[in-house]
């Protein structure tokens, strides 16, 4: 894997050296080639063929197999795949580090020696050559969907590339803020087809070799048809490849005689020798590949590629299905005739990887890298198996049991359904409880994996939701199926057979103790059915199993936190409630698995720590006879809002930190007179079995349990009284980035420790205009989640061929009722007759009955009574997206019509203005249009301009092109890479810039090495580093990293994921800062297009974006267009924050400047007066902003008067006196849930400043004589609440 230790800036990353197409500095004509691999030393490699030798830069820490990989991927050495390296005539082991090779120095030469092939090597060489020469065709994959892992970056860049000349227009000309979102913005442009190098290359019908020829070294027989139409039968032999004498009808696999004899060690070389046009075509293909962004074409190996929810039609050139005989042969080529090579002992691999040493940094890198790849491989294998199980392709091990109780083994993965097939969860809520338990279990396994406790092992665990079924795939723990002796328990620690028997093997105590300490779980008493008391370290539900391999496994981690008793008592699921969780009452919550989130327990632990520290300080103050100064109390400001130490601001959800690191942070904050309070005396833990029906016997036991229960109750109240209102308040005040869709909203809630079941409470708290967006989003999320459950009910046992009809009918009832109030399910009668037992209840669903089901689900799951007219106010396009992502749908890209209104033409299609369009619009109709736009009609921003042909129903079964699984997995994050990133951040904050940059580069290198280049964590680190480099004035490096963040986000998270959108906004911002303003506007325009699809118009954070775009337009001296953008930004701001808000005043201030530049001096004076009045009322006459506005108001007034008096000199005076907004003062977009100052890196204590320059300075700036002004930073603002306003 590549390394970047020697690179000055991250603009040159490992990515550059890892692509076949990307090494344009390499040649194949004998000139030395270089591959930057992290240079400690140069190594010369001697080759058996032309170009005879190459030079590569390597790091002494790299393994030899990394060097091999580099050789394989260089354009001049593509043909080698079966070889070894030698030094001084001695073979070098592939799995040692370069530094371990005896006698190897920086000027040593290494020789590449071609090896004889084995059958496996020959097969893999064939697969590789097919891919290299572009002969591989398209593949249909059971797991990855249509266009999975796609990137739009190249399309967006291509659209803007023609606009960077000095006289060309920019892409924002005539931008329509009111136009609805276009689904076509989620798909790439149709690209030209790559040049063809051969007609076909496949396995010959004569394959495999008969026995007697296998003995003589024959491995495979291939069939090649060149571009000239010549057909060659080729033998793959241990010595290489040669043309044989076979024909289609005659078998003679021996070499042809001269002059037609051709042979070579590499198949690539052989094809080149046989086809005269091949070399030129192959060069063209490489050039074609070179035009593409390498990151967009890399194979994704360590992550699941994102599958878009909108895909082109099956006839589109993007998804053409070609004839390719070898497509069916690929599984043979990859895994052999027996298919045994792909079978792996997953459990043994997981556990032996965990047992690898982790003493040195190299050990940790190797271990974490192996872990990352292993989890990725396992997740893919488990998801593939789960799909086959769901489709009925795998035979159950217990076919006589009911459907939900059946278990399966496929590819060494054990599968079961996430349903209560055997009644384990009967008292907890049946199927509903079982479903939730599997999801919580994955979360628990991930936490244990992250904690990495020595001696404690977890099975590989994946949960897959597919077509209404939930499947759990686990690696097979040795001994889990073993029949124990009579009297022996199946489990060694925790509950056995329900909770009737409790096992407490003492050997498990040490490892469970470590786990419980990290998870803040209290050692507590539990009682079995005979009333015997056992003391357990973890929840009674968490089980310990001693595997037959001697390892201690922890299973069933769905109850590592206590039950949310406040919720259970309020909604009838607590033990002893009048309405038990059997769903007797309509409003009862569906199950009893309502636990608190680990993040909440963490936050509450910090809160209790703060209380304890303050009480210790108070005691110390009282004990001191002489006080040397006032005692500092540790207040909430000493901890960041999300509970992490104030130094850190991680935008990651579900962050896990061990107790001691938090203790240190709190200890620092609690310094008093150089005497530190010893926080190791503080202890706090919760009993996870409180309120779970335990029955103590003695008074002491009862008293202890009552104490435990009170502690849990206080934690539940802390969630309701403190955490929930704090989050809503932060969003109201604009203190954190605003969520855009269901996924970003859920992540934000989870990060704060709030369960999604509290969405109803969030909706109730979201009052007023400022939180209208939150209310709309919360309702949309509740509806989409309810729909997921309703659809799951109908899909769960439905035969696969009928699922598209079911889904399209349910979507018509949900979103198409305005177009057709009585939709009918389009089901093929011939198919129905094939499945006489199929449950076709979905056909009876009507829009009214579906609404009833959804309202009932929302009431039960979120305890929220939704307004009866909710369906009139939803945003159809956005709801369709949410539903598709939750169910894994891939829909055909077309103009879906949700209403009966005929949209006349794209030019006229506009959105509603100011307020809510009752019928078709999502309840968020503030228009971003300027005053000069046409009056908007009452149309839906989500409905898309439709063709004039009126279709009877919005969706048909043919629109559902594919369904992909939704996967929950348990892979841990790399602690080593994150430590380096954190150290780099802290160094920069302490002004150790050089050390900080080195650490950041080290972190980037570690992320790329451990995760591979294409991985969501790598996208996040690219994004974080790009912002840090931007703040360090390293503009070019910031742009390069932001570009990588965009591409990797698109490919792993989704082209329309909220994180991808933010990455595009940052790329635009940094591009503008480095002088590429027209390209930057192209990225901003694309991001705004995504925003319209994800959320609709008028998102609170788009105020910042539109304002940034307006500033960029001023840089291009397009003052009129810029003014329109400022007006649009102000309009949303007034809608969200109110006309008299400071945010509005700041935007009015900027708009006044923009109007002055647009030669509208009267308008400028009026706007500046409005701004001044708001500042005066809100901040008082002595505030810096008020004085600033007053000074500008005077100058603008004088300017207006003088213009009126001296009509002749109008132009000159305007140029002289036109005030100017400070240029280049755009702001980074904060991540969802991230504070504004964390995004900008500014000190929140600075006072807010507007434009503090004099007119003369601005004049110099406008005329270009003030070169230093561009880098000048505007002072920070006193209040991050104004984030949406001052974007300067």
């Amino acid at each position: 894997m590549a390394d970047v230790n020697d690179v000055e800036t991250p603009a040159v990353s490992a990515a550059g050296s890892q692509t076949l197409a990307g090494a344009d500095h390499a040649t194949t004509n004998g000139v030395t080639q270089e591959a930057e691999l992290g240079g400690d030393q140069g190594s010369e490699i001697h080759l058996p063929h032309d170009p005879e030798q190459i030079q590569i830069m390597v790091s002494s820490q790299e393994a030899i197999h990394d060097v091999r990989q580099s050789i394989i991927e260089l354009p001049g050495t593509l043909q080698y795949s079966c070889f070894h390296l030698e030094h001084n005539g001695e073979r070098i082991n592939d799995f040692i580090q370069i530094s371990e090779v005896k006698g190897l120095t920086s000027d040593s030469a290494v020789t590449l020696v071609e090896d004889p092939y084995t059958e496996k090597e020959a097969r893999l060489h064939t697969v590789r050559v097919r891919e290299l020469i572009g002969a591989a065709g398209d593949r249909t994959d059971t797991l990855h969907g249509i266009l999975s892992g796609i990137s739009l970056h190249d399309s967006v860049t291509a659209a803007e590339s023609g606009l960077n000349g000095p006289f060309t227009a920019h892409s924002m000309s005539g931008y329509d803020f009111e136009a609805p979102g276009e689904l076509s913005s989620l798909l790439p442009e149709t690209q030209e087809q790559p040049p063809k190098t051969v007609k076909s290359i496949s396995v010959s019908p004569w394959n495999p070799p008969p026995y007697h020829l296998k003995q003589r070294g024959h491995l495979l027989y291939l069939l090649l048809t060149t571009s000239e139409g010549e057909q060659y039968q080729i033998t793959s032999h241990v010595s290489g490849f040669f043309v044989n004498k076979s024909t289609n009808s005659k078998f003679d696999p021996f070499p042809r005689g001269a002059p037609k004899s051709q042979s070579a060690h590499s198949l690539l070389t052989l094809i080149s020798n046989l086809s005269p046009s091949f070399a030129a075509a192959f060069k063209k293909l490489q050039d074609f590949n070179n035009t593409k962004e390498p990151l967009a074409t890399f194979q994704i190996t360590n992550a699941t590629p994102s599958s878009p929810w909108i895909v082109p039609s099956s006839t589109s050139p993007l998804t053409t299905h070609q004839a390719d005989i070898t497509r069916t042969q690929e599984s043979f080529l990859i895994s052999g005739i027996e298919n045994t090579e792909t079978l792996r002992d997953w459990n043994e691999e997981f556990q032996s990887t965990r047992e690898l040493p982790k003493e040195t940094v190299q050990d940790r890198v190797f271990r974490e890298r192996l872990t990352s790849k292993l989890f990725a491989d396992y997740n893919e294998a488990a998801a593939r198996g789960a799909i086959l199980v769901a489709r009925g392709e795998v035979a159950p091990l217990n076919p006589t049991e009911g459907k939900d109780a059946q278990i399966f083994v496929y590819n060494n993965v054990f599968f079961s359904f996430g349903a209560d097939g055997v009644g384990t969860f009967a008292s907890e809520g049946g199927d509903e409880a079982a479903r939730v338990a599997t999801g919580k279990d994955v979360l628990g396994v991930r936490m244990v994996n992250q904690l990495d406790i020595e001696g404690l092992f977890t099975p590989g665990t994946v949960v897959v939701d597919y077509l209404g079924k939930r499947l759990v795939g686990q690696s097979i723990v040795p001994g889990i199926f073993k029949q124990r002796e009579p009297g022996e328990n199946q489990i060694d620690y925790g509950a056995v057979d329900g909770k009737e028997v409790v096992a407490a093997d003492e050997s498990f105590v040490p490892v469970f103790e470590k786990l419980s300490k990290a998870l803040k779980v209290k050692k507590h008493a539990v009682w079995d059915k005979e009333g015997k008391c056992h003391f357990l370290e973890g929840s009674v539900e968490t089980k310990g199993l001693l595997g037959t391999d001697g390892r201690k496994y922890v299973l069933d981690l769905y109850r590592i936190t206590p039950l949310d008793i406040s919720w259970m008592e309020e909604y009838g699921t607590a033990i002893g409630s009048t309405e038990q969780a059997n769903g007797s009452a309509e409003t009862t919550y569906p199950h009893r698995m309502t636990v608190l989130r680990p993040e909440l327990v963490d936050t509450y632990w910090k809160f209790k720590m703060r209380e304890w520290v303050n009480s210790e300080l108070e005691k110390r103050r009282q004990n001191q006879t002489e006080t040397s100064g006032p005692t500092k109390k540790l207040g909430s400001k000493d901890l960041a809002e999300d509970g992490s130490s104030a130094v850190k601001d991680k935008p990651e959800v579900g962050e896990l930190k061990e107790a001691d690191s938090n203790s240190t942070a709190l200890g620092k904050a609690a310094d008093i007179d150089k005497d530190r309070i010893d926080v190791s005396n503080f202890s706090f833990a919760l009993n996870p079995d409180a309120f779970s029906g335990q029955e103590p016997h003695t008074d002491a036991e009862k008293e202890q349990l009552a104490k435990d229960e009170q502690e849990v109750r206080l934690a539940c109240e802390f969630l309701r009284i403190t955490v929930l209102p704090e989050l809503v308040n932060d969003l109201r005040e604009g203190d954190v980035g605003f969520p855009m869709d269901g996924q970003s909203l859920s992540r934000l809630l989870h990060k704060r420790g709030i369960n999604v079941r509290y969405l109803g409470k969030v909706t109730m708290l979201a009052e007023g205009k400022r939180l209208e967006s939150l209310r709309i989003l919360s309702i949309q999320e509740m509806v989409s989640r309810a729909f997921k459950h309703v659809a799951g009910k109908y899909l769960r046992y439905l035969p696969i061929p009928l699922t598209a009809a079911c889904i399209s009918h349910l979507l018509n009832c949900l979103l198409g009722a305005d177009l057709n109030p009585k939709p009918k399910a389009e089901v093929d009668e011939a198919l129905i007759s094939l499945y006489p037992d199929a449950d076709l209840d979905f056909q009876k669903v009507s829009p009214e009955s579906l609404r009833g089901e959804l309202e009932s689900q929302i009431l039960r799951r979120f305890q929220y009574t939704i307004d009866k007219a909710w369906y009139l106010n939803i945003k159809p396009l956005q709801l369709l997206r949410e539903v598709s992502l939750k169910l894994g749908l891939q829909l055909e890209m077309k103009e879906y019509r949700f209403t009966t209104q005929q949209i006349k033409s794209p030019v006229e299609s506009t959105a509603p203005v100011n307020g809510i369009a009752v019928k078709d619009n999502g309840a968020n109709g503030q228009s971003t249009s300027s005053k000069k736009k046409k009056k908007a009609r009452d149309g839906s921003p989500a409905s898309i301009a439709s063709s004039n042909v009126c279709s009877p129903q919005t969706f048909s079964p043919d629109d559902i092109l594919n369904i992909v699984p939704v996967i929950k997995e348990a892979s841990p994050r790399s602690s080593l890479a994150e430590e380096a990133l954190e150290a780099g951040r802290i160094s920069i904050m302490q002004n150790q810039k050089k050390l900080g940059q080195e650490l950041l580069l080290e972190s980037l290198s570690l992320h790329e090495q451990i995760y591979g280049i294409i991985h969501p964590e790598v996208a996040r680190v690219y994004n974080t580093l790009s912002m840090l480099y931007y703040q360090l004035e390293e503009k070019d490096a910031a742009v390069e990293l932001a570009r990588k963040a965009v591409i990797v986000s698109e490919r792993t998270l989704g082209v329309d994921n909220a994180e991808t959108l933010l990455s595009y906004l940052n790329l635009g911002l940094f591009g503008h800062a480095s002088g590429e303003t027209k390209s930057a506007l192209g990225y901003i325009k694309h991001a705004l297009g995504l925003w319209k699809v994800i959320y609709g118009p008028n998102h609170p954070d788009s105020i910042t974006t539109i304002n940034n775009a307006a500033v960029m337009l001023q840089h291009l001296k397009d003052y009129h267009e810029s003014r329109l953008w400022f007006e649009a930004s102000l309009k949303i701001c007034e809608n969200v924050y109110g006309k008299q808000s400071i945010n509005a005043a700041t935007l009015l201030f900027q708009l006044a400047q923009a109007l002055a530049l647009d030669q509208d001096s009267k308008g400028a004076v009026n706007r500046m007066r409005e701004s001044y009045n708001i500042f005066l009322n809100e901040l008082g006459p002595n505030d810096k902003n008020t004085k600033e506005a007053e000074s500008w108001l005077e100058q603008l007034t004088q300017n207006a008067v003088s213009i009126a008096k001296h009509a002749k000199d109008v132009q000159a005076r305007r140029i002289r006196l036109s005030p100017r907004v400070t240029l280049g003062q755009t702001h980074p977009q904060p991540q969802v849930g991230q504070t504004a100052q964390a995004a900008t890196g500014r000190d929140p204590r600075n006072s807010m400043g507007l434009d503090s320059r004099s007119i003369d300075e601005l004049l110099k700036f406008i005329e270009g004589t003030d070169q230093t002004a561009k880098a000048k930073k505007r002072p920070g603002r006193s209040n991050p609440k104004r984030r949406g306003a001052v974007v300067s």
Side-chain angles (χ1 to χ4, degrees), residues 723-789:
V723 177
L724 257 174
E726 258 181 23
L727 170 70
V728 173
N729 191 54
D730 285 349
L731 289 169
R732 178 186 292 112
E733 300 302 329
D735 283 353
V736 295
F738 212 92
M740 302 178 196
D741 62 353
Q743 193 182 19
S744 53
L745 176 62
S746 303
R747 277 187 74 153
L748 177 60
L749 291 177
H750 287 164
K751 187 181 172 187
R752 295 292 185 101
I754 302 166
N755 305 78
V756 171
R757 63 174 172 273
Y758 279 95
L759 267 176
K761 295 242 184 297
V762 170
T763 312
M764 290 176 205
L765 290 170
E767 293 172 347
K769 197 74 178 166
R770 283 193 181 187
L771 290 174
E772 186 181 14
S773 299
L774 178 62
R775 189 166 59 252
I776 290 164
L777 206 50
S778 300
I779 289 172
Q780 178 177 289
E781 182 65 356
M782 287 192 285
V783 171
S784 63
R785 282 174 178 265
F787 181 82
K788 175 184 76 175
H789 288 290

Side-chain angles (χ1 to χ4, degrees), residues 10 19 45 232 241 323 488 762 787 816 926 1002 1048 1061 1076 1127:
T19 170
I45 299 196
Y232 296 93
F241 295 82
E488 266 193 317
V762 170
F787 181 82
Q926 313 93 323
E1002 185 59 34
V1048 180
L1061 188 151
E1076 296 288 331
E1127 284 173 348

Side-chain angles (χ1 to χ4, degrees), residues 418-642:
D420 193 22
V422 291
T424 314
F425 293 93
S427 62
E428 308 290 321
D431 282 353
E432 287 285 359
R435 180 187 169 82
V436 171
T438 56
K440 295 286 178 197
D441 185 37
V442 169
L443 188 67
V445 171
R446 185 188 300 152
M447 289 182 76
V448 176
N449 288 341
Q450 192 70 48
L451 291 168
D452 200 10
I453 292 164
E454 203 159 322
L456 190 64
F457 299 90
T458 54
T461 308
V462 171
V463 166
V464 177
D465 289 323
Y466 184 68
L467 291 173
K469 303 172 184 70
R470 172 163 282 193
L471 289 123
V472 187
Q474 291 175 303
S475 63
I476 301 167
V477 175
I480 197 162
F481 296 127
K482 180 184 164 192
Q483 290 299 314
R484 304 273 180 127
E485 298 296 320
E488 266 193 317
N489 292 325
Q490 205 61 32
I491 293 294
D492 298 294
Y493 196 81
V496 190
D497 300 331
K499 295 174 200 164
E500 296 187 350
V501 179
V502 176
D505 184 333
E506 287 302 311
S507 67
F508 275 82
V509 171
V511 284
F512 267 64
E513 193 176 21
K514 287 182 200 164
L515 177 63
S516 298
K517 186 180 177 190
L519 296 176
K520 301 167 187 66
V521 167
K522 180 183 268 187
K523 183 172 184 173
H524 60 282
V526 295
W527 295 267
D528 58 23
K529 66 175 178 183
E530 290 161 9
K532 188 180 172 189
C533 176
H534 303 264
F535 278 91
L536 292 182
E537 291 289 343
S539 161
V540 69
E541 301 283 4
T542 305
K543 301 173 180 62
L545 174 75
L546 188 63
T548 50
D549 55 1
R551 296 184 178 114
K552 296 183 180 72
Y553 291 89
V554 58
L555 309 170
D556 292 354
L557 286 156
Y558 49 80
R559 273 272 302 281
I560 51 177
T561 50
L563 293 165
D564 183 354
I565 189 61
S566 305
W567 181 275
M568 295 170 79
E569 287 179 343
E570 188 175 351
Y571 302 117
T573 57
I575 288 177
S577 295
T578 48
E579 309 149 329
Q580 271 293 305
N582 54 9
S584 56
E586 267 185 38
T587 57
T588 308
Y589 197 68
H591 58 82
R592 295 190 63 250
M593 297 296 295
T594 43
V595 292
L596 297 174
R597 283 196 69 83
E599 296 91 341
L600 179 86
V601 174
D602 236 21
T603 309
Y604 188 57
W605 178 87
K606 286 163 191 159
F607 170 75
K608 297 295 284 184
M609 162 82 87
R610 200 158 49 224
E611 277 188 347
W612 180 83
V613 169
N614 283 336
S615 69
E616 289 293 303
L617 287 170
E618 190 63 30
K619 279 183 208 166
R620 187 175 292 187
R621 191 176 64 77
Q622 288 168 3
N623 293 341
Q624 278 172 335
T625 49
E626 291 175 45
T627 42
S628 54
T631 306
K632 179 183 185 295
K633 270 205 172 188
L634 185 63
S636 57
K637 296 285 178 208
D638 294 285
L639 286 174
E641 289 156 16
D642 60 354

Side-chain angles (χ1 to χ4, degrees), residues 921-990:
N921 184 26
N924 177 49
Q926 313 93 323
S927 164
T928 53
S929 68
S930 70
K931 290 180 180 177
K932 295 195 173 186
K933 299 280 180 194
K934 294 177 189 173
K935 185 173 181 294
R937 292 182 296 105
D938 179 18
S940 162
S943 67
I944 294 171
S946 172
S947 58
N948 289 323
V949 183
C950 183
S951 62
Q953 296 190 159
T954 308
F955 301 94
S956 77
D958 292 341
D959 297 334
I960 288 90
L961 296 183
N962 187 33
I963 296 158
V964 293
V966 178
I967 302 167
K968 290 185 172 78
E969 43 88 21
S971 44
R973 298 197 312 277
S974 161
S975 53
L976 181 64
E978 289 187 0
E979 283 162 22
L981 179 62
E982 200 54 53
R985 268 182 170 153
I986 291 167
S987 300
I988 284 171
M989 289 174 83
Q990 294 169 347

Side-chain angles (χ1 to χ4, degrees), residues 638-830:
D638 294 285
L639 286 174
E641 289 156 16
D642 60 354
S644 57
S645 64
V647 182
K648 297 171 187 171
D649 184 40
K650 285 259 178 144
E652 208 26 65
V653 178
E655 205 169 316
L656 281 164
K657 292 283 173 217
E658 292 200 53
D660 52 1
S661 64
N662 289 320
S663 312
T664 325
L666 289 153
K668 281 180 192 163
D671 268 355
I672 171 169
D673 302 336
K674 297 181 185 172
D675 256 345
R676 181 171 291 182
I677 288 184
D678 185 4
V679 287
S680 62
N681 295 332
F682 169 75
S683 68
F684 166 80
L686 294 171
N687 179 349
D689 290 322
F691 302 108
S692 67
Q694 293 295 333
E695 293 177 10
H697 295 277
T698 67
D699 288 345
E701 287 171 352
K702 285 177 182 168
E703 187 185 341
Q704 182 58 48
L705 188 62
K707 269 190 197 167
D708 289 355
E709 289 185 342
Q710 181 57 21
E711 195 61 76
V712 169
R713 196 177 286 282
L714 288 171
C716 298
E717 285 172 12
F718 176 72
L719 168 61
R720 291 177 168 225
I721 294 165
T722 307
V723 177
L724 257 174
E726 258 181 23
L727 170 70
V728 173
N729 191 54
D730 285 349
L731 289 169
R732 178 186 292 112
E733 300 302 329
D735 283 353
V736 295
F738 212 92
M740 302 178 196
D741 62 353
Q743 193 182 19
S744 53
L745 176 62
S746 303
R747 277 187 74 153
L748 177 60
L749 291 177
H750 287 164
K751 187 181 172 187
R752 295 292 185 101
I754 302 166
N755 305 78
V756 171
R757 63 174 172 273
Y758 279 95
L759 267 176
K761 295 242 184 297
V762 170
T763 312
M764 290 176 205
L765 290 170
E767 293 172 347
K769 197 74 178 166
R770 283 193 181 187
L771 290 174
E772 186 181 14
S773 299
L774 178 62
R775 189 166 59 252
I776 290 164
L777 206 50
S778 300
I779 289 172
Q780 178 177 289
E781 182 65 356
M782 287 192 285
V783 171
S784 63
R785 282 174 178 265
F787 181 82
K788 175 184 76 175
H789 288 290
V790 172
K793 179 183 80 176
Y794 292 114
L795 287 170
R796 195 160 149 197
Y797 301 121
L798 200 63
I800 302 288
L802 301 174
T803 49
C806 173
I807 292 166
S808 60
H809 180 61
L810 293 174
L811 287 175
N812 281 327
C813 293
L814 177 69
L815 298 169
D818 197 15
L819 183 70
N820 182 347
K822 294 186 176 173
K824 282 191 71 177
E826 297 175 40
V827 191
D828 185 342
E829 294 299 327

